[in-house]
Amino acid sequence: EISLLERGKFTPRPRNDPRYFGGSHPWIQINEVESSQKYIKKYNSTLNDEGLAVSRKFPAGTLVISIAATIGAVGILEFDSCMPDSLVGITPIEGLSNTDFLYYMMLYVRNYLERIAPQMAQANINLNILSSLELPTPSNSQQEQLSAQLNEKFTAASLAEESIQQELDTIEAMPA
């Protein structure tokens, strides 16, 4: 009700068939989402035009969530990209939600999604599970306020983490 959910697509099997790769179309997978720290800024593979024809390209700014193996990893695309069906693109509906708010809501429900994921060969969830999530929907201005506050807190936490890491690096560089 507050966003459009679209599953990624890549129909050929095996998934790593080289005839679809090596072109100019960015191709992300779960590992790029998992390591994104909010913004997906890099990709490790590209599709050629033949690969693009059997995939789906999502625009920059799309919120991405993983639904297979690693459940609930989220990130926001900083570039147009194709992705497999183990990822879902989430586009906010204008006036009802915004990307930052949905990003933080998906972080909030990640443990829940991991718990309810059916266990087959590997855990996975589907669009029905995602679309049936009941999320609070404050007004747009409240969503923007909450997102701004959370952005500040996450930035402060990241700076603290960097500072601590620098201190640890300094300590480790000291002679025994």
Side-chain angles (χ1 to χ4, degrees):
E1 296 172 5
I2 63 171
S3 64
L4 175 63
L5 304 174
E6 297 176 285
R7 196 165 183 172
K9 178 181 169 189
F10 192 76
T11 52
R13 296 295 186 261
R15 186 171 278 172
N16 61 351
D17 187 335
R19 70 181 162 167
Y20 297 102
F21 293 89
S24 62
H25 307 284
W27 166 256
I28 62 161
Q29 296 191 75
I30 292 174
N31 59 336
E32 284 96 353
V33 179
E34 183 68 37
S35 65
S36 69
Q37 297 184 348
K38 189 172 183 184
Y39 295 100
I40 303 167
K41 298 179 180 188
K42 61 182 182 182
Y43 51 92
N44 296 317
S45 298
T46 58
L47 296 179
N48 56 30
D49 290 340
E50 196 174 349
L52 176 63
V54 294
S55 188
R56 172 183 285 155
K57 189 176 271 191
F58 291 82
T62 299
L63 177 62
V64 178
I65 186 168
S66 61
I67 61 169
T70 302
I71 306 293
V74 290
I76 300 169
L77 283 173
E78 287 211 333
F79 48 86
D80 295 352
S81 183
C82 298
M83 56 192 186
D85 56 3
S86 56
L87 298 172
V88 169
I90 302 174
T91 306
I93 295 175
E94 194 171 333
L96 297 178
S97 61
N98 70 55
T99 304
D100 272 354
F101 178 76
L102 291 173
Y103 170 82
Y104 289 117
M105 290 307 303
M106 293 298 101
L107 282 181
Y108 177 73
V109 300
R110 183 173 184 174
N111 288 339
Y112 170 74
L113 292 173
E114 289 172 336
R115 278 196 319 275
I116 66 166
Q119 297 283 333
M120 313 259 187
Q122 67 180 11
N124 61 57
I125 58 175
N126 57 36
L127 289 180
N128 289 334
I129 291 172
L130 277 179
S131 64
S132 66
L133 283 175
E134 292 187 20
L135 302 175
T137 51
S139 70
N140 274 344
S141 62
Q142 289 173 317
Q143 288 181 41
E144 289 170 11
Q145 269 185 319
L146 289 168
S147 296
Q149 290 171 357
L150 289 169
N151 284 336
E152 273 183 40
K153 292 187 184 308
F154 273 75
T155 299
S158 180
L159 291 173
E161 184 178 28
E162 286 175 23
S163 175
I164 291 167
Q165 187 59 52
Q166 287 175 355
E167 288 181 34
L168 285 172
D169 292 345
T170 301
I171 291 168
E172 289 175 10
M174 296 175 122

